[in-house]
Amino acid sequence: MVLLSLILLPILLPLLYFIVRPRPVTIPIKNRHVFITGGSSGIGLALAHQAASQGARVSLLARSLNKLQEAKESIRRSSGLDVSIFSADVRDYDAVQKAVNDAGPIDVLVVNQGVFVPQELDKQGLDEIKFMIDVNLMGSFNVIKAALPLMKERKDRLPASISLISSQAGQVGIYGYTAYSASKFGLRGLAEALQQEVIADNIHVSVVYPPDTDTPGFEKENEVRPELTKLLAGSSGSMKADEVAKKALGGIKSGSFTVPCNFEGHMLAIATAGLSPERSFLMAFIEVASVGVLRLVGLFFQWNWYQTIENWHAKKNSKFAIIDLSIYTQE
């Protein structure tokens, strides 16, 4: 496939330049209103710092008013700028709508809230599953639905943005992430359909796919991760929140639909591109040329993961067999 693409390069590049949609765009940040949910800590707070440093008017929404006030003070200390804060639970549409209306028309909406409780499906309570889906997926619907009317009516008509912070677990399912992956996979479907609905309003949708990110929440998640999850997910490494925020903001400003954050993320983005929008004809060429090779690489990854799972269960069963034999001998 790679060789064929190179042979067809003179034909393929002009064709891709003509057909890629939506067209390339630049979304300005300076002097514009950036509204970030989950903005009191982690990636959201890091994004707020960077947006403020680039001259944006920033609003933050989160549940904890105390954490929001701490975030506001930290941004004031670092940039000298004041930010607006709103305490609301994204599961409560009326509360979100009030916050959005009080904040005023939004130019760049960053839907960043998220919760993660790792556990095998048969061991996880339905209340935890519902909690993740309500916050990660339904909360995103609530925020976007509340913000869209004013975004569509903005006066400057400059390009606007809606970005959803997903996860690499929203590109590939991992042991112990059953409910979490479902809630994050859903964001892509939301984003693909939404982009078609809002493109006529000059609103551009992005989905950011961070790997494990060093945040207070991640430390707590690591404490309760199943052992197999640690073995499978630990190989991809982690990033600092500031690093993810820098990649995310760069992708938002360029209007990229898919925003990976590290090398593995770029490979996953190409391998799972499917029918996602693509603005760059050069990236489209890379996707076309490498999709076959990356499918093979993906199959090797799956082989490795399933080998790890089989070996872990074999080791576990062997351990139990030894224990049973020991008990039988003592009897």
Side-chain angles (χ1 to χ4, degrees), residues 117-308:
V117 184
Q119 187 61 273
E120 296 94 337
L121 180 61
D122 65 335
K123 298 177 182 177
Q124 192 156 48
L126 285 173
D127 56 337
E128 286 185 340
I129 294 170
K130 187 175 185 300
F131 178 50
M132 279 186 276
I133 292 174
D134 284 349
V135 172
N136 299 350
L137 186 56
M138 282 307 303
S140 299
F141 277 101
N142 288 341
V143 172
I144 294 169
K145 186 169 176 59
L148 260 182
L150 289 179
M151 291 188 75
K152 288 186 173 186
E153 294 171 7
R154 68 193 187 283
K155 294 178 180 179
D156 63 17
R157 305 311 297 174
L158 291 172
S161 169
I162 296 173
S163 65
L164 299 107
I165 309 299
S166 181
S167 164
Q168 287 182 356
Q171 295 172 291
V172 59
I174 296 292
Y175 184 102
Y177 285 45
T178 312
Y180 180 69
S181 281
S183 71
K184 290 296 187 177
F185 265 82
L187 294 180
R188 173 169 167 172
L190 188 169
E192 288 188 1
L194 181 66
Q195 180 60 95
Q196 295 180 12
E197 294 178 9
V198 299
I199 190 64
D201 298 291
N202 205 12
I203 299 174
H204 306 274
V205 180
S206 298
V207 187
V208 183
Y209 294 100
D212 286 341
T213 306
D214 293 332
T215 64
F218 177 61
E219 293 175 8
K220 294 178 182 177
E221 293 155 12
N222 247 338
E223 294 173 2
V224 295
R225 276 185 173 185
E227 184 180 345
L228 254 177
T229 304
K230 293 178 181 178
L231 291 173
L232 296 172
S235 59
S236 64
S238 63
M239 293 178 68
K240 302 289 185 185
D242 288 342
E243 296 171 336
V244 172
K246 184 176 180 180
K247 294 286 188 182
L249 194 57
I252 291 167
K253 289 164 66 176
S254 66
S256 301
F257 181 83
T258 301
V259 184
C261 296
N262 59 7
F263 176 76
E264 291 87 350
H266 278 284
M267 296 301 101
L268 271 173
I270 296 170
T272 61
L275 293 176
S276 293
E278 178 55 66
R279 295 182 186 275
S280 167
F281 74 97
L282 291 176
M283 180 53 69
F285 173 76
I286 293 171
E287 290 170 356
V288 170
S290 59
V291 63
V293 173
L294 284 179
R295 175 56 178 158
L296 180 62
V297 172
L299 289 171
F300 271 108
F301 270 102
Q302 291 288 344
W303 171 80
N304 180 59
W305 290 336
Y306 279 97
Q307 282 290 110
T308 301

